[in-house]
Every structure is written in structure tokens, then in C-alpha cells.
Amino acid sequence: MHPPVYLVFTTCGTREDAERLGQRLVSERLAACATLIPGAISFYTWKNEPRRDEEVVILLKTSAPALAALEERLIELHSYEVPEFVAVPAARVAEAYGRWVAQAVEPPVQPA
């Protein structure tokens, strides 16, 4: 049995920023996978001003034990002053996929 899997959503203003962030979080073993979804349009209020921006959504897959570290690092690396970090527990995950996510975010074993 694998630990719970979480889907984490964030956005970036450019594809380059999204690729840099996604690759970094995967290489640091905080996310098993980062899927970029370009073409999002966001409407929001920032500093009392209405905004409309094109963004790239990043969907990160991680395990419950890695979630807090992923949040901390994402906020540290992100170019936004207040980055989106929304974590949603997966209601159902195929057993093999859940094991893969857990293994992908485990710290690498150091040789003795």
C-alpha cells in the first residue's frame, strides 16, 4: 500500500518559468511528475486592481510525506510574490501509480 497521493496546482506567468520550476521540483524529488498546461487565462484581483493574465498551470503529483517540503520549496523558488499552492488529495489512485509516486519522491538511498 502506498501513502496518499496529492495533486498540487500552481501557475506561472511564462512557459520558461513553469518548465524551470517543474523540472527543479522533480529533480529535487519533491514531486514525482510536473505536467504543464499552457494557455490558461486567469482573472483575479491583485493589490485592489482587477487583472487578466495568461498563465501556465503546473499540475504536480506528490505523496503525503513530501507535501510540506514541496510547499516550502515551491514558495521559495517561485517568481510570484504570492504563488498559488493548492493541494488536493486524490480520491482514488491505481496501486502501481501510487507506488511509483511514493518511490519517485523518496530521498535517494546513499551508498554505505
Side-chain angles (χ1 to χ4, degrees):
M1 184 104 183
H2 58 80
V5 172
Y6 278 79
L7 305 174
V8 175
F9 296 85
T10 194
T11 55
C12 288
T14 67
R15 183 182 183 113
E16 293 77 20
D17 280 350
E19 286 187 17
R20 176 190 55 79
L21 183 61
Q23 288 175 346
R24 186 78 177 264
L25 295 171
V26 170
S27 71
E28 292 182 10
R29 301 181 70 102
L30 296 171
C33 177
T35 303
L36 276 58
I37 307 167
I41 298 178
S42 296
F43 298 93
Y44 58 99
T45 301
W46 179 246
K47 298 187 178 179
N48 294 319
E49 294 291 327
R51 299 286 306 258
R52 178 205 179 273
D53 286 314
E54 292 187 24
E55 295 185 294
V56 177
V57 175
I58 306 176
L59 176 58
L60 300 157
K61 282 70 84 177
T62 195
S63 68
L67 190 60
L70 172 61
E71 178 180 10
E72 181 179 317
R73 190 68 169 137
L74 183 147
I75 290 169
E76 181 180 294
L77 293 172
H78 209 289
S79 63
Y80 287 0
E81 185 178 336
V82 180
E84 176 181 2
F85 182 92
V86 176
V88 179
R92 185 172 173 98
V93 177
E95 187 61 34
Y97 187 83
R99 283 194 310 270
W100 172 77
V101 169
Q103 291 170 351
V105 297
E106 284 178 354
V109 177
Q110 300 297 324

